Amino acid sequence: MESRNFHRLLFLFIGVAVVLVVTWVHIPYAPPPNATDLLDCTTNSPWCTSKNRFQSKQPAATLKYPPKPKHHHVSDTPHHPLDPLTVQELNKVRTILSSHPLFKSSPSYALHSVVLQEPDKNLVLKWNKGDPLLPRQAFVIARVKGISHLLTVDIDTREVTVHETWSASGYPTMTIEDMTSSVWAPLANPAFNRSILSRGVDLKDLACLPISLGWYGKNEEGRRLIKIQCYSSKDTANFYMRPIEGLTVLLDMDTKEVVEISDKGRKIPIPKATNTDYRYSSQTHNQQKLKLINPISIEQPEGPSFSVEDDHLVKWANWEFHVKPDPRAGVIISRAKVRDPDSGEMRNVMYKGFTSELFVPYMDPTDAWYFKTYMDAGEYGFGFQAMPLDPLNDCPRNAYYMDGVFAAGDGTPYVRSNMICVFESYAGDIGWRHSESPITGLEIIEVRPKVTLVVRMVASVANYDYIVDWEFQTDGLIRIKVGLSGILMVKGTPYENMNQMQGQENLYGTLLSENIIGVIHDHYITFYLDLDVDGPDNSFVKVNIQRQETSPGESPRRSYLKATRNVAKTEKDAQIKLKLYDPSEFHVINPTQKTRVGNPVGYKVVPGGTAASLLRHDDPPQKRGAFTNNQIWVTPYNQSEQWAGGLFVYQNQGEDTLAVWSDRDRPIENKDIVMWYTLGFHHVPCQEDFPVMPTVSSSFDLKPVNFFESNPILGIPPNVEKDLPVCKPAASS
Amino acid sequence: MESRNFHRLLFLFIGVAVVLVVTWVHIPYAPPPNATDLLDCTTNSPWCTSKNRFQSKQPAATLKYPPKPKHHHVSDTPHHPLDPLTVQELNKVRTILSSHPLFKSSPSYALHSVVLQEPDKNLVLKWNKGDPLLPRQAFVIARVKGISHLLTVDIDTREVTVHETWSASGYPTMTIEDMTSSVWAPLANPAFNRSILSRGVDLKDLACLPISLGWYGKNEEGRRLIKIQCYSSKDTANFYMRPIEGLTVLLDMDTKEVVEISDKGRKIPIPKATNTDYRYSSQTHNQQKLKLINPISIEQPEGPSFSVEDDHLVKWANWEFHVKPDPRAGVIISRAKVRDPDSGEMRNVMYKGFTSELFVPYMDPTDAWYFKTYMDAGEYGFGFQAMPLDPLNDCPRNAYYMDGVFAAGDGTPYVRSNMICVFESYAGDIGWRHSESPITGLEIIEVRPKVTLVVRMVASVANYDYIVDWEFQTDGLIRIKVGLSGILMVKGTPYENMNQMQGQENLYGTLLSENIIGVIHDHYITFYLDLDVDGPDNSFVKVNIQRQETSPGESPRRSYLKATRNVAKTEKDAQIKLKLYDPSEFHVINPTQKTRVGNPVGYKVVPGGTAASLLRHDDPPQKRGAFTNNQIWVTPYNQSEQWAGGLFVYQNQGEDTLAVWSDRDRPIENKDIVMWYTLGFHHVPCQEDFPVMPTVSSSFDLKPVNFFESNPILGIPPNVEKDLPVCKPAASS
């Protein structure tokens, strides 16, 4: 290399190192001498976002329902046994750990997870508001000198009460520091820098992503590894559309050493920046700034119908439930109860529901792509990736926002503002109706509107945005919806047009634009659903809908459908693949609670559109993602069985998945059981997905089935004119 | 019978006859001497509903967007070749027919259908606003002396240009008069009246329904028959919950003679009226009138973004399409085009889309139930059964209402007010988004709201309410959604509790309340979708997603998914059963139109949750409903192939269904083709469905796939505070 370039490179390297030290890498391995209550957001912006940035510009006094006062959380105290650890509690944990032998003796360590250790379920079930709070404990996953440790910390007694080391495969969820320091580490490697420069990319335009490598054999075992792939961010914010194709760096995440650089893409051009930017400020052509719709808003002149008590307890219409952010699951809904219209009592529906794991395999077996088989909750932390929601666009104007309080890699608490929103939605839909037809001539028309409550979070896992909604209806139905938006992961190619393709070549996806292939991939999102229908002891019933043939002479009909109820006795009875031509309903019932006329009370899971994984079961990613081998599973409640891919997912070998647990074939009849449902998408990209994709959604429902004696919303009133607001454009007022 | 009862009965009979003459039966068999423009609604209420009844109570001046002025339609003229026949045109047809030999010579006849005979598609495609209107023709189905006739009437030349008689099986859609006169006819039969009285029901409390009997063998052939079953309407508006179980009257619809009375239910009590009423005025208990939700409204301070030109042409955002009511299909969407953001041109998407047929088989083979296998469009007229929508509850406040103008049995036009509504919907959902995560540290958040346009109609076919929505999105997607609400068809039973059941007895459904069984049934709604993607000549492509195994040593991956495109050459290539474990995408492409990078432009059908018919193919109802043998079909465009169950469905034998056409295996590659999609529901009733069911919905999407060069809504703006309205409760203003 020329002397000038070498000096330039050296300077750049030093500069990057300085930047690394000052900005991007907050050394996670020793607590700062004077530990502050809260991470200083001005110097630690990557994981810290100030609520100020997205505050409504309108003065609070003129807003109908002003946003709650600035809330720094430093004085928060827990009110409910399931409330997440507060700032003060996280700081206590940090202090307790710093004096624990394991950490005291180590110059460096990282806390990969510091969350509430939820109390035993039977204690939580017995607890009522006003009772003393149950003992507060933290569950900590730490890595010290290359070993993963699990600790339980009793916050009240200030003791570490449990300490185990992890001996099976896999590593904990990456810390934010892991991810941000990994993307910069290759810059310390001259061979890497040469590769970048040889592709025509300036180091200042480099944007790199940390890509979980899965598990693909022995040579990847024994150390914590990550793969880095890079993009050019020149002339666009959408660097994802400008991959430096084929260049993969294998990095040791702990030593930050480059283990291997593979470059198979030297002949592949970097796609151009033209038309890739999605920022509104960058839409230069007049026609690109489309004003298609007049302003439209959901208005509630008397304010919303819901309240949030003690920061986490939501009460709306006939529902009540606890909501909390979680660094791994994103949103956790707990203690969901619905009011019985006859007795007036709140009845148990779901003890706990959350996103347990994702599985997102890409369908390209070549060198730079085969390993892209993400498990976003266990590897990256679905909640860690949840960015602040944009008021008025992510959620409508009447939304309430909830912040997340998480621990950084050294245990320092930080606030993820506006992480979850709660709002009432009215799409103009119908709750129930009946009008009499001309046949009877009765002049009856009875119609009721449908208003729902949505709890929303969005996880932006690098390129993809996952919108997760828990939507509650007054008829007792819960709809869980996943929306996909954001940016595709694309592959560079020499091709600029399909007519350049030779014969049967496999692109592994769709040519989206010149030199850009959208690679085919699947998304699976597996939900943990601990339904407790009128109490914890439930059964799982398959109501199989089958053709019944009539006997000769029995009827002019040759066939009809019959519903046969089969109670699942053990786990293997509840490993369900959905079949259009062998359909069933899937009920979780309370076998000891019956309606007045004798039907067991229950809730059923109603699938919407979905997809199933077709990979070979012995394919390494499918072993790790084996929880997608079936669409529905049921297991006996077990506090250690929460994460469908296993507790330690990163680089694990799939020995501790939901599929492994379920094959133990344990009894699940009239016991506390947990249902698991996987929502799937096959995604063959299309040009409309470029450069950012319009939201595509799918959902499934939890619907009461003989839970109520009759329609629980028979008596709700219709909308009437006098209740509607009088509105004027803001400009005219 | 005692003398007093006999006299009472005779008096009642005479009274009923008088009522029949005056109110319920508008003799359809001869035109009134002085034919008025419009049916007099005060004497003909069964099929005629005045718009006044549901007018907004608020004075028009204070409404932001006042309802359009009272519109009696008598002066309407057509503006578009596809506009439905106007009042004036219907009257012209009636006059033309009355002087035609066929009708002139007959003392009585009935017009079962008088609708626009749509001009040839190629003429409609060439027509532009400003061109002379294409010749207006009516298509008439009439029954004269027991024969079904098909006539084409040229309205301009005042000539009958085509006249055929129908020789295959089946009868036309019933007229309203058929239905209303049939339900009263049994009262003229003493044996019937005795049966009713013996069940303890007063004749004044009788409510009867006309039930299509399907086709179940030779002894039902040769005459037009109907089955009547009755209910007690004492003490409730919800007579459906009080069946006089097991009593079935077979009636000749033309002679009104009772052919047979079957009573298998003498030991079955009539369920009580308690808790069956659904009217708001009848909700007596305080707790039954639930005020769960604060008022909520969709507001548009600058008014809606859509316009309706010439009564039928909707223009919204980047969409334009023609909407019209139809007595058989309900709603017909035609000439749907979307604006290309690059060229600014309107591009063809769909020539015509509508509900072609329904199939609703009940799953009980016993005497009073086996024949309940409805085909609601062809038997009852899906549009005929569409009742006026309730403003503020069926549709939100910003909705536009469109009336239907139909012909009564004698050809007299009448208005079905508020039959269709059009409104913009904002549920608080996200159109597209991307925010950068902590990994990259870029502070970017771009979010755009999702606003849609809904075209809605509700058909109340006796007990059931079908909500059909065509929902348009600015990203080019069309969602077709069917919601089920209304009242179940139930069966009386001696049982009051499940613990009274002996062993393995088959209830054929669920015990919903004392003495009431909700019988299991399916719903299938088949849609006709004449997509014309950038023009009429299209191909149907199955993009099959299959597992590909890697060769030894090829990759650390053992498997991945590959998408293989298979162009359907003939109809048998496009008889599709959806399979979760053998998935495909289903594209309608224009093989001669490619994007800049060479992908064929297309739209794909994306199924949501659905169901498939499991009945034996040789079961009589399944022969008639054979269009549900597959979920997707594709046929070559043929103007005579519109109704999936055949043109004449009532009592037909299934010789002219979509399945029969498709088995002709005609070429469908690079031709004008039509896609058929069937949305299905298996309905095992539950107590929540009693006494009226909360809405259950399912949908499917038509989504652009490489239709646009890139995301068509990249450039839309986000919501900003200044555009939101300032609202106050009406009471305070």
Side-chain angles (χ1 to χ4, degrees), chain A residues 218-490:
Chain A
K218 290 222 162 302
N219 60 342
E220 291 176 355
E221 296 172 21
R223 52 185 168 174
R224 208 159 71 107
L225 297 164
I226 192 159
K227 288 189 170 176
I228 307 297
Q229 290 184 337
C230 300
Y231 302 76
S232 169
S233 62
K234 187 171 200 285
D235 294 334
T236 182
N238 193 354
F239 59 84
Y240 304 97
M241 292 295 116
R242 310 200 68 200
I244 303 170
E245 187 57 41
L247 178 63
T248 310
V249 180
L250 180 63
L251 188 80
D252 184 312
M253 229 196 307
D254 289 323
T255 65
K256 297 287 184 276
E257 281 175 30
V258 169
V259 174
E260 187 185 338
I261 299 176
S262 174
D263 191 352
K264 309 280 191 192
R266 291 197 190 92
K267 295 194 177 145
I268 301 174
I270 295 172
K272 296 182 176 50
T274 329
N275 294 329
T276 61
D277 211 326
Y278 54 92
R279 293 172 296 176
Y280 194 58
S281 52
S282 304
Q283 303 306 309
T284 49
H285 301 149
N286 279 341
Q287 68 204 37
Q288 279 172 2
K289 289 199 187 185
L290 308 168
K291 190 183 184 304
L292 298 174
I293 310 282
N294 281 352
I296 185 167
S297 176
I298 299 175
E299 295 294 328
Q300 295 190 278
E302 295 177 25
S305 326
F306 69 93
S307 62
V308 183
E309 285 177 22
D310 298 329
D311 290 332
H312 293 286
L313 199 67
V314 177
K315 295 187 175 180
W316 173 76
N318 47 355
W319 280 100
E320 172 189 305
F321 53 87
H322 183 273
V323 184
K324 66 177 171 185
D326 182 85
R328 182 166 179 166
V331 175
I332 299 181
I333 307 283
S334 304
R335 302 296 278 126
K337 305 179 198 176
V338 71
R339 188 182 309 281
D340 188 275
D342 298 326
S343 70
E345 294 297 307
M346 297 303 291
R347 295 170 63 188
N348 284 301
V349 176
M350 185 173 74
Y351 180 74
K352 196 170 175 191
F354 61 91
T355 304
S356 176
E357 192 51 91
L358 286 83
F359 178 42
V360 186
Y362 279 74
M363 304 302 177
D364 180 335
T366 61
D367 182 75
W369 282 84
Y370 72 86
F371 52 92
K372 290 177 188 171
T373 49
Y374 307 93
M375 290 169 67
D376 295 300
E379 293 175 344
Y380 291 86
F382 209 42
F384 274 145
Q385 308 302 325
M387 300 308 292
L389 297 165
D390 180 356
L392 303 187
N393 289 286
D394 275 320
C395 317
R397 128 185 267 192
N398 57 345
Y400 168 96
Y401 291 87
M402 186 182 293
D403 300 336
V405 174
F406 297 151
D410 70 340
T412 309
Y414 66 95
V415 174
R416 180 57 53 75
S417 319
N418 289 5
M419 182 180 153
I420 294 172
C421 70
V422 182
F423 64 92
E424 278 168 285
S425 173
Y426 173 57
D429 286 336
I430 296 166
W432 64 259
R433 81 177 313 282
H434 184 64
S435 52
E436 279 296 322
S437 71
I439 301 170
T440 58
L442 295 172
E443 287 185 5
I444 295 177
I445 174 165
E446 298 282 339
V447 188
R448 307 291 180 269
K450 174 180 287 194
V451 181
T452 64
L453 188 80
V454 178
V455 178
R456 171 172 295 163
M457 179 210 74
V458 180
S460 299
V461 193
N463 53 303
Y464 249 108
D465 291 56
Y466 289 88
I467 304 159
V468 181
D469 289 355
W470 288 78
E471 185 172 19
F472 295 80
Q473 298 189 166
T474 51
D475 59 2
L477 184 145
I478 305 174
R479 169 158 299 157
I480 297 103
K481 185 159 96 168
V482 175
L484 306 173
S485 188
I487 299 170
L488 290 176
M489 188 144 264
V490 303

Side-chain angles (χ1 to χ4, degrees), chain B residues 293-311:
Chain B
I293 309 284
N294 280 353
I296 186 167
S297 176
I298 298 175
E299 295 293 329
Q300 294 190 276
E302 294 176 27
S305 325
F306 68 92
S307 63
V308 183
E309 284 177 22
D310 298 329
D311 289 332

Side-chain angles (χ1 to χ4, degrees), chain B residues 459-506:
Chain B
S460 300
V461 193
N463 52 304
Y464 249 107
D465 291 55
Y466 289 88
I467 305 158
V468 181
D469 289 353
W470 288 77
E471 184 172 21
F472 294 80
Q473 298 188 169
T474 51
D475 59 2
L477 184 145
I478 305 174
R479 170 158 299 156
I480 297 104
K481 185 160 95 168
V482 175
L484 308 172
S485 187
I487 299 169
L488 289 175
M489 188 143 265
V490 303
K491 179 176 188 173
T493 171
Y495 295 126
E496 295 183 348
N497 197 292
M498 290 298 287
N499 60 21
Q500 294 170 339
M501 289 237 334
Q502 305 295 334
Q504 294 286 60
E505 182 170 347
N506 189 349

Side-chain angles (χ1 to χ4, degrees), chain A residues 288 433-434 465 559 619 715 727, chain B residues 433-434 465 559 619 715 727:
Chain A
Q288 279 172 2
R433 81 177 313 282
H434 184 64
D465 291 56
S559 58
D619 203 349
C727 298
Chain B
R433 85 177 312 283
H434 185 63
D465 291 55
S559 59
D619 204 350
C727 298

Side-chain angles (χ1 to χ4, degrees), chain B residues 133-151:
Chain B
L133 210 55
L134 298 171
R136 297 285 286 173
Q137 299 183 90
F139 175 61
V140 178
I141 298 176
R143 278 182 59 74
V144 185
K145 296 192 207 148
I147 308 284
S148 301
H149 298 258
L150 297 84
L151 304 101

Side-chain angles (χ1 to χ4, degrees), chain B residues 8 11 42 62-63 81 85 102 139 145 192-193 257 265 329 370 392 403 416 449 493 564 569 587 603 663 679 697:
Chain B
R8 193 180 287 163
F11 178 75
T42 53
T62 64
L63 285 176
L85 296 179
L102 175 64
F139 175 61
K145 296 192 207 148
F192 171 78
N193 295 334
E257 280 173 32
Y370 73 87
L392 302 187
D403 300 336
R416 179 56 53 75
T493 171
T564 308
K569 297 201 165 308
H587 295 196
Y603 258 74
D663 271 351
L679 195 51
S697 306

Side-chain angles (χ1 to χ4, degrees), chain B residues 524-537:
Chain B
Y524 298 100
I525 305 95
T526 297
F527 288 88
Y528 172 105
L529 304 158
D530 181 9
L531 295 188
D532 273 12
V533 178
D534 266 349
D537 290 347

